[in-house]
Amino acid sequence: MVNLSILLKFANSFDFHVHTLVFLSNSTNDVYRFTKRNRSYYLRITQKPLEYEEKIKAELDWIQYLVKKGVRAALPIQTSKNQFTAVCQEDNKWYIATAFEAATGSFFDKNSDQYWNPKIFRNWGETMGMMHRLSKTYESSEVNGSRDSWSMSGNNNPNLQVGRYKVLRDKWISMERQIDILPRDKEAFGLIHHDFHPYNFVIQNETITVFDFDDSIFGWFSLDIAIAATHAIWWGVKKEDRCAKNEFAHLFLYEFLMGYRKENDLSERWVKTIPMFMEYRNICSFFWWLGDWDGDESRLTEEQRNAIDNAVKLIERHVPFDGCDIKI
């Protein structure tokens, strides 16, 4: 968490009282909720080199374009100096702040028919389809091209080059090489959300409002779909057995793609890459833990060690994503 002096500076920049801040999370960024004139907003603080501000400006530019064209998304708000970012430096570190309107609605609940049902899956797909269609014609007004493009990770951690960790790493590298040679034509590749999972949108009357575009990159549209499907299956299945996962995956992808195709045309060739990208997202999840791992297994939780063991068994048996038989 950042210290109070930084929070005071950003509270002054966005013209709100610092005592209204409520800390929410600090996974990639520090995120707070605050109140201004009886309305709720979110403050996101990123600790990055100052040059990264241009990437954030590109993110915000795209959000505003999407909303202007009809996508329901949480809009950024301006500072008192009519800027969409605020920066400060402390202890030779730069901090970049952005603030967003609070989207109205509730998060998904897999045990509630109101907040987790086929109509929501279809609307989720329709929202993403609209975003991808608009991505094809989007041109940034200020910083076009400053968001990153998908690239291979290149992790050379020596602790991942032995035993079961090597099995995971080899699978990861093999998949990235397979992905890297895919075409990047305009009909299948563009600016994507890259993290459009169920905790990055809220639901109101089955309508979707999306937020958290911080991971947005230039990537394949089918990768964006696969990320949504992967997280839906991870978090949205009521029973953890393979049969339940397969059944839910079939239902989810059918409804999601029905909605998606209302807004964007994606050829069957690219639709068939979705299961591969789902498996890739699953493999990537292990390296969220292991990317900078020092080799000390006691630093991994029992749940993480069990997940790695299970993943390695599936890889060695040539069984795809999380034991599911995803067919489209």
Side-chain angles (χ1 to χ4, degrees):
M1 293 173 59
V2 299
N3 62 41
L4 180 59
S5 67
I6 294 171
L7 294 176
L8 284 167
K9 290 175 183 176
F10 290 141
N12 181 62
S13 294
F14 287 99
D15 191 26
F16 66 87
H17 294 294
V18 72
H19 73 265
T20 69
L21 282 169
V22 177
F23 175 75
L24 298 178
S25 67
N26 65 343
S27 55
T28 304
N29 308 289
D30 283 9
V31 180
Y32 298 80
R33 184 173 63 247
F34 68 88
T35 304
K36 177 179 177 179
R37 301 184 185 92
N38 296 318
R39 292 187 61 185
S40 292
Y41 298 89
Y42 290 95
L43 179 71
R44 186 185 75 195
I45 301 174
T46 305
Q47 195 267 297
K48 293 273 191 180
L50 183 59
E51 294 77 16
Y52 194 79
E53 184 184 13
E54 294 306 307
K55 296 185 186 298
I56 293 176
K57 288 181 178 179
E59 170 201 348
L60 304 181
D61 188 81
W62 188 44
I63 295 170
Q64 291 174 84
Y65 174 81
L66 293 175
V67 171
K68 182 180 179 181
K69 296 295 185 179
V71 175
R72 294 177 63 93
L75 276 167
I77 65 170
Q78 292 184 316
T79 67
S80 56
K81 295 182 179 180
N82 299 319
Q83 301 296 313
F84 285 104
T85 57
V87 299
C88 74
Q89 186 181 28
E90 192 165 296
D91 298 329
N92 295 317
K93 295 179 181 178
W94 284 99
Y95 298 87
I96 309 165
T98 49
F100 298 85
E101 297 175 350
T104 303
S106 302
F107 286 112
F108 91 108
D109 179 352
K110 70 178 182 181
N111 296 311
S112 167
D113 291 339
Q114 181 180 0
Y115 293 110
W116 198 238
N117 62 58
K119 181 67 180 300
I120 290 171
F121 307 155
R122 191 173 296 200
N123 289 345
W124 185 0
E126 188 173 342
T127 301
M128 184 180 286
M130 184 185 301
M131 290 165 59
H132 291 174
R133 173 173 56 79
L134 293 170
S135 178
K136 295 176 182 179
T137 56
Y138 169 69
E139 293 183 6
S140 171
S141 60
E142 295 181 11
V143 283
N144 190 32
S146 63
R147 293 304 296 181
D148 291 334
S149 286
W150 184 93
S151 61
M152 295 178 66
S153 304
N155 187 297
N156 293 313
N157 187 338
N159 299 301
L160 303 178
Q161 298 180 23
V162 293
R164 56 188 179 155
Y165 301 104
K166 185 177 187 300
V167 173
L168 271 182
R169 181 178 176 273
D170 287 352
K171 177 68 173 180
W172 185 40
I173 291 173
S174 172
M175 295 203 74
E176 288 203 329
R177 287 174 177 165
Q178 180 183 355
I179 292 166
D180 193 45
I181 62 175
L182 291 173
R184 305 190 184 203
D185 58 272
K186 191 174 182 179
E187 293 306 305
F189 187 94
L191 197 50
I192 61 174
H193 187 285
H194 199 225
D195 203 28
F196 197 169
H197 61 61
Y199 285 113
N200 277 339
F201 65 81
V202 290
I203 304 159
Q204 186 176 45
N205 298 324
E206 297 179 333
T207 299
I208 301 295
T209 302
V210 57
F211 50 85
D212 197 0
F213 287 72
D214 183 51
D215 287 333
S216 58
I217 62 169
F218 287 91
W220 292 272
F221 298 147
S222 51
L223 168 60
D224 220 14
I225 297 170
I227 289 170
T230 301
H231 286 270
I233 295 166
W234 277 347
W235 301 334
V237 180
K238 294 181 181 180
K239 296 181 180 179
E240 289 300 314
D241 61 276
R242 183 175 179 180
C243 181
K245 287 184 177 181
N246 282 334
E247 184 178 345
F248 179 82
H250 178 79
L251 168 67
F252 176 83
L253 284 165
Y254 175 81
E255 296 292 345
F256 188 96
L257 289 171
M258 283 285 288
Y260 184 92
R261 287 170 170 140
K262 288 177 64 178
E263 288 289 341
N264 189 51
D265 180 30
L266 191 64
S267 72
E268 283 303 308
R269 173 200 174 181
W270 287 106
V271 168
K272 289 184 183 301
T273 66
I274 292 172
M276 181 269 293
F277 277 124
M278 291 175 68
E279 186 172 4
Y280 173 63
R281 181 70 167 190
N282 190 45
I283 291 293
C284 285
S285 70
F286 296 103
F287 296 93
W288 299 337
W289 317 325
L290 297 172
D292 299 317
W293 180 54
D294 64 0
D296 181 356
E297 290 210 7
S298 69
R299 296 184 185 276
L300 302 176
T301 67
E302 182 179 359
E303 182 181 359
Q304 288 172 340
R305 292 194 296 271
N306 289 339
I308 289 167
D309 287 340
N310 184 58
V312 169
K313 290 176 183 177
L314 293 176
I315 291 168
E316 290 175 338
R317 290 163 46 207
H318 305 287
V319 178
F321 164 72
D322 206 23
C324 291
D325 182 20
I326 307 297
K327 294 180 179 179
I328 299 179

